[in-house]
Amino acid sequence: MTRVDDDGLICYSGGVFRTMESTMTKPIRVAVTGAAGQIGYSLIFSIAAGDMLGPDQPVILQLVELPVAMQALEGVGMELDDCAFPLLHSIELADDPMQGFKGADVVMLVGAKPRGAGQDRSDLIKSNGPIFTGQGEAIDAVAADDAKIIVVGNPCNTNALIAQSRAKRIPKKNFTAMTRLDQNRAVGQIARKAGVAPADVHDVFVWGNHSDTMVPDVSLGTVRTGSGTKSVVEAVSADWLGGDFDKTVRTRGKAIIVARGKSSAASAAMSAVNHIHDWFLGTGESKITSMAVPSDGSYGIPEGLIYSFPVKITAPWQYEIVRDLKVDDATKTRMMASAKELEEERAAVADLL
Ligand code: NAX
């Protein structure tokens, strides 16, 4: 049996008649900067495979690089072609965000310089900050009205603030930064310690800045074991949570640089995919996830800072900060220290805002 779709194409797949509904869904335009970099090289293949926006959602990839990296980007584009991803509607390459962000529904700001040897955080802010003024302006000028933005390039929270300040047309709430890698690191450590799969660990999250002042929080966390679901605190020891666990999560980025000689890439790409996936499609079995989003003043965090909170996804592309959690004094002190660090970062880039 055959059937002819609107374009006159006969659709037949794997012996099962398949309507072309999926390929007739309007493609989502995803712009990615730094697409030829380490993270980009994992990220864009995962997006094209459907990991981020779901198995029925076609995508248009709009890949943005510096002029100097365009040749490498062309090579990446050739590899994307060679994968023949069923969901990859088309690929556009650009060395200018004013072109690369045109009509983008999702903008993933990955491109930035990683921290060099001997560079401290304030040097990094000064060298990467200006990238995000231009990109914020390009988002304002040409992206979709309701574009959703994730900033991965470090210092990601403050870079998101800079881009947001230059894109007044786009709702402020749509500017987010990635702390999902920190959450995933925490989940990975707990799963390993408890002897379960990461899929059995839920509702662990992080507060604050994507830096070593972040605060991993397991107070809502659960672990599913053979003998039922327990709180994280019951499943692993409190001593370990307050000691090795906390330190490992907060300093994991540095440990990976020492071991690999390069910063995290595949895990960062996976986490960016998770961030957008959950924002669009929900958190599955978990009730919450971590996203760095504009503070609304909850928990005394100064309004406007892009701060990692536990959030609930209430509808596609809608999140709400989880309010009124009981926070113990020690955690509150650390949350405020991370907020203070973000206030200092904001002051350091005041001329860019
Ligand atoms: P790479 O140096 O491998 O790649 C960066 C790419 O960005 C390069 O190809 C470069 O040409 C491009 N680029 C630089 N400026 C650009 C601009 N203005 N427009 C477009 N492209 C531009 O770095 P990679 O390992 O991919 O890391 C990218 C960023 O992610 C870094 O800032 C890094 O610090 C940050 N990270 C953030 C993480 C997070 O959890 N938020 C974790 C991983 C990573 O450290």
Side-chain angles (χ1 to χ4, degrees), residues 33-40 64-66 68-69 97 109-115 124 128 131 135 151-156 159 177-182 185 210 263-265 268 271:
T33 67
Q38 287 205 90
I39 295 175
V64 183
E65 258 296 347
L66 292 175
V68 68
L109 301 180
V110 180
K113 296 168 212 136
R115 196 190 303 194
L124 190 70
N128 277 341
I131 295 175
Q135 293 184 349
V151 180
V152 175
N154 278 324
C156 59
N159 289 338
M178 184 170 91
T179 50
R180 180 60 179 264
L181 177 56
D182 308 307
R185 286 167 172 166
H210 171 66
S263 53
S264 321
S271 303

Side-chain angles (χ1 to χ4, degrees), residues 21-317:
E21 255 170 60
S22 59
T23 46
M24 288 169 68
T25 307
K26 191 170 170 251
I28 292 184
R29 291 183 167 272
V30 181
V32 180
T33 67
Q38 287 205 90
I39 295 175
Y41 193 70
S42 288
L43 175 63
I44 58 184
F45 291 87
S46 190
I47 299 170
D51 300 342
M52 187 169 90
L53 298 169
D56 296 317
Q57 176 58 59
V59 289
I60 297 174
L61 279 176
Q62 303 182 184
L63 307 179
V64 183
E65 258 296 347
L66 292 175
V68 68
M70 286 309 284
Q71 192 184 330
L73 187 61
E74 275 173 30
V76 175
M78 286 155 70
E79 285 203 79
L80 280 169
D81 280 341
D82 295 349
C83 292
F85 286 114
L87 293 171
L88 185 54
H89 180 281
S90 53
I91 310 165
E92 295 165 18
L93 311 183
D95 63 4
D96 177 357
M98 289 296 259
Q99 188 192 333
F101 294 172
K102 245 184 218 162
D105 304 296
V106 177
V107 182
M108 307 183 77
L109 301 180
V110 180
K113 296 168 212 136
R115 196 190 303 194
Q119 236 193 351
D120 67 20
R121 210 172 163 76
S122 59
D123 297 330
L124 190 70
I125 291 174
K126 294 238 160 63
S127 67
N128 277 341
I131 295 175
F132 294 86
T133 57
Q135 293 184 349
E137 283 160 13
I139 290 170
D140 197 46
V142 298
D145 290 345
D146 201 23
K148 309 295 183 302
I149 295 95
I150 174 176
V151 180
V152 175
N154 278 324
C156 59
N157 302 53
T158 296
N159 289 338
L161 192 67
I162 295 170
Q164 183 202 53
S165 75
R166 300 294 175 125
K168 301 267 187 278
R169 183 176 63 89
I170 310 292
K172 279 186 176 336
K173 237 191 139 179
N174 294 11
F175 283 81
T176 68
M178 184 170 91
T179 50
R180 180 60 179 264
L181 177 56
D182 308 307
Q183 173 180 314
N184 286 351
R185 286 167 172 166
V187 168
Q189 291 300 310
I190 291 166
R192 185 184 257 260
K193 185 76 174 176
V196 299
D200 294 320
V201 179
H202 295 287
D203 299 325
V204 170
F205 63 93
V206 295
W207 301 100
N209 197 3
H210 171 66
S211 77
D212 54 16
T213 66
M214 80 181 78
V215 190
D217 191 324
V218 300
S219 58
L220 299 179
T222 59
V223 176
R224 189 170 44 219
T225 68
S227 53
T229 297
K230 303 176 177 170
S231 70
V232 169
V233 186
E234 283 167 338
V236 297
S237 79
D239 276 359
W240 176 77
L241 285 169
D244 278 359
F245 164 76
D246 190 77
K247 184 160 175 246
T248 302
V249 173
R250 287 185 301 103
T251 58
R252 188 69 158 182
K254 283 179 199 138
I256 285 170
I257 294 174
V258 170
R260 217 171 81 86
K262 291 179 183 167
S263 53
S264 321
S267 55
M270 198 64 236
S271 303
V273 163
N274 294 155
H275 176 116
I276 298 290
H277 173 280
D278 285 8
W279 192 359
F280 182 41
L281 295 168
T283 50
E285 275 189 69
S286 292
K287 294 186 203 73
I288 57 166
T289 187
S290 310
M291 285 169 67
V293 301
S295 172
D296 59 359
S298 295
Y299 303 98
I301 304 304
E303 221 172 310
L305 289 180
I306 307 281
Y307 188 94
S308 183
F309 288 99
V311 302
K312 261 194 183 130
I313 305 302
T314 53
W317 299 126

